[in-house]
Amino acid sequence: MQKTDRLTKTLLALLVLGVWGLLLRPLVPVTPAEAQSGGRTKWEYVVPDMDGSLNGAIAACNRMGKEGWELAVVSGHAFYFKRPIR
């Protein structure tokens, strides 16, 4: 009996959260890129050259951030940045 009550409460909580998420979706701001592409953001990507030093990587990351890029993935010594297409 306790397992059934616990399962029922869990499913009810998930249902409430799902409905709440659907109701709040219109309140989430839409970026210009999303508006132009029908709600899907289109991205551009870049892998900048870095000199291999820690200071060089930090400087490159700071420079990219100031230009509107966000770090998406680090793979080995390659830093992949992305930003919405303007």
Side-chain angles (χ1 to χ4, degrees):
M1 177 100 179
Q2 254 185 344
K3 285 186 179 181
T4 305
D5 289 342
R6 179 186 246 172
L7 179 61
T8 302
K9 288 178 182 178
T10 302
L11 291 174
L12 182 60
L14 289 173
L15 178 65
V16 168
L17 289 173
V19 170
W20 187 31
L22 289 174
L23 292 174
L24 290 180
R25 176 64 183 140
L27 301 177
V28 176
V30 177
T31 66
E34 286 176 327
Q36 291 176 352
S37 64
R40 298 208 46 161
T41 302
K42 294 184 180 183
W43 299 93
E44 59 181 328
Y45 300 88
V46 67
V47 181
D49 291 329
M50 297 195 191
D51 65 9
S53 71
L54 178 60
N55 288 337
I58 292 170
C61 288
N62 286 331
R63 184 182 74 249
M64 298 301 291
K66 287 178 184 175
E67 294 175 10
W69 294 93
E70 79 180 57
L71 183 61
V73 176
V74 176
S75 178
H77 294 285
F79 288 59
Y80 296 81
F81 289 85
K82 69 176 186 174
R83 71 177 174 192
I85 295 175
R86 298 175 189 176

